[in-house]
Amino acid sequence: MNTIPSLRRAAAVATTAILAVAGLAVPSAASARPAADTSSAPAGITRQAASALVERLGADRTGGAWLDRSGRMVVAVTDAAAEQAVVGAGGIAQRVTRSTAELNAINATLGQQIAMPGVAFGVDSINNKLFIDADTTVSTEDYQRLVELAASHDGAVTVRRMRGELKPFIQGGRFITPNRGSEIGSCSVGFNVRKKDNPNSLYMITAGHCTVGASGVSDWYDGIGQYVGYDAGGNFPGNDFGLIKHNNASLSKPGNVWISEGVVRDVTHSRDAGLGETVCHSGWKTGYRCGEVLARNTTANYREGRVTGLDYTSFCAAGGDSGGSVFHGDAALGLVSGGIPEDCRTYVQPLNEALAWYDVEVY
């Protein structure tokens, strides 16, 4: 654990409670991304144009949109007329069997059928399926129930046994803790933020299970024992974001992300991550890592409760990275929530939802 000369870094925030969580379902690590059908279209279109096409064609005729490995947007469609509409707009169309409406309906059914901890599930638009993943805490009997449940959906759902136990990643970025002088229960700070109606009012945003887990704790410290600020709220379970108020004038609080000693990444705005997009994270435990967004709007049944609306990514993270920054270029995207380190799969709380909740913004 290193100290932080400024909170411009992806700092760490601590909690007094270590949350043990059961495994989530994620799209299979071995699932291959289908190749885009490029025979009928030249280059791609922008993410905004793809979103507009999907909205115009509707959820019954489309199956999602994502970046392929060459960086082009692909729009999944279910019929020839929709395919021609995408190609006519200059886009790349891929024919699929199941529409977004069908996938979302199955996902809603799974939400009613799956309550056990250690399991996660969601829509894998790139493979035109849904996934259910179970961690090592799920019993053999319960795993078989999941297999039977998936079979009842006529090949639309895959089930996979993960190699480890899914946990929220307590500890963190470039760290601070309520346990002064201790790493116990620490987490990563995601981003420095400011109140929209008062730009001089500065905060740190991090994972909600960090601030909520530190029940009764109000003061937070950095890695060398300096006072940083105090708890200003948390939302977990349901969501996974929390806020800490900056309250030490002697600490600089620039709005960038720490990458490594002497290297930072400036952040200028926030947005949602795109399916298939390459994203990176910074945390004090594993440092700077990158991967892909494999699925969005996934559900994680933590032992402490269900969290919905998470992005599912392929970058590696571990205990100590919770709350850490997730970003692409100068865009702030999310906060590390948890994952299964053995499978190098990490769940991310989208940042814009958290910013809107607290009426704050990155700077």
Side-chain angles (χ1 to χ4, degrees):
M1 176 186 71
N2 298 321
T3 60
I4 39 178
S6 89
L7 293 175
R8 176 177 179 110
R9 309 177 171 197
V13 184
T15 173
T16 56
I18 301 291
L19 308 180
V21 189
L24 322 180
V26 292
S28 169
S31 62
R33 177 184 295 197
D37 177 8
T38 60
S39 59
S40 56
I45 53 179
T46 66
R47 181 182 291 110
Q48 293 77 10
S51 297
L53 272 171
V54 168
E55 184 174 355
R56 177 164 65 85
L57 293 170
D60 290 320
R61 302 179 65 199
T62 58
W66 59 87
L67 284 168
D68 69 11
R69 295 194 184 279
S70 68
R72 299 171 300 175
M73 288 299 301
V74 177
V75 179
V77 295
T78 59
D79 61 67
E83 181 177 9
Q84 286 304 311
V86 173
V87 173
I92 299 171
Q94 178 171 298
R95 291 287 288 273
V96 295
T97 303
R98 305 173 189 90
S99 69
T100 294
E102 293 174 287
L103 294 173
N104 286 345
I106 298 172
N107 193 43
T109 300
L110 294 181
Q112 298 171 344
Q113 295 174 321
I114 301 174
M116 67 186 73
V119 177
F121 54 91
V123 174
D124 177 7
S125 297
I126 294 175
N127 289 294
N128 198 228
K129 288 189 172 186
L130 293 95
F131 60 87
I132 302 172
D133 278 20
D135 76 357
T136 54
T137 69
V138 175
S139 68
T140 301
E141 293 77 11
D142 283 341
Y143 185 80
Q144 184 57 38
R145 292 188 186 97
L146 294 174
V147 171
E148 293 169 358
L149 174 61
S152 71
H153 290 287
D154 299 323
V157 183
T158 58
V159 184
R160 180 170 179 255
R161 171 73 84 172
M162 306 304 281
R163 293 178 295 171
E165 178 181 357
L166 178 117
K167 306 173 182 177
F169 291 142
I170 306 303
Q171 294 172 329
R174 249 346 200 208
F175 111 2
I176 57 179
T177 174
N179 302 308
R180 188 172 185 173
S182 172
E183 293 185 17
I184 295 174
S186 57
C187 289
S188 295
V189 168
F191 301 94
N192 284 325
V193 296
R194 63 190 178 193
K195 280 287 187 180
K196 288 184 176 180
D197 60 358
N198 182 7
N200 294 318
S201 184
L202 303 182
Y203 296 79
M204 295 172 285
I205 198 159
T206 186
H209 68 260
C210 297
T211 57
V212 171
S215 177
V217 173
S218 58
D219 292 333
W220 301 83
Y221 303 87
D222 68 11
I224 59 173
Q226 293 182 105
Y227 174 65
V228 172
Y230 56 85
D231 182 15
N235 189 324
F236 177 85
N239 297 301
D240 196 1
F241 49 79
L243 205 63
I244 294 171
K245 180 69 172 69
H246 275 298
N247 197 35
N248 185 340
S250 67
L251 293 176
S252 64
K253 310 164 185 72
N256 57 15
V257 174
W258 179 87
I259 303 297
S260 61
E261 292 300 332
V263 180
V264 296
R265 176 64 53 80
D266 195 29
V267 169
T268 64
H269 64 287
S270 65
R271 62 171 173 82
D272 289 335
L275 187 61
E277 180 176 13
T278 296
V279 299
C280 299
H281 92 96
S282 178
W284 81 262
K285 190 68 173 181
T286 59
Y288 175 70
R289 302 290 184 94
C290 299
E292 291 183 11
V293 178
L294 303 179
R296 303 203 63 224
N297 194 31
T298 63
T299 298
N301 285 349
Y302 290 120
R303 291 193 178 280
E304 293 71 23
R306 173 174 287 186
V307 178
T308 61
L310 298 172
D311 293 337
Y312 163 61
T313 72
S314 65
F315 64 73
C316 297
D321 292 326
S322 275
S325 319
V326 179
F327 54 94
H328 177 98
D330 60 0
L333 305 177
L335 308 166
V336 170
S337 174
I340 302 178
E342 292 87 348
D343 293 284
C344 235
R345 292 297 183 260
T346 301
Y347 298 88
V348 174
Q349 164 68 53
L351 183 63
N352 273 348
E353 180 184 10
L355 298 179
W357 181 274
Y358 292 119
D359 195 31
V360 295
E361 61 186 0
V362 297
Y363 58 87

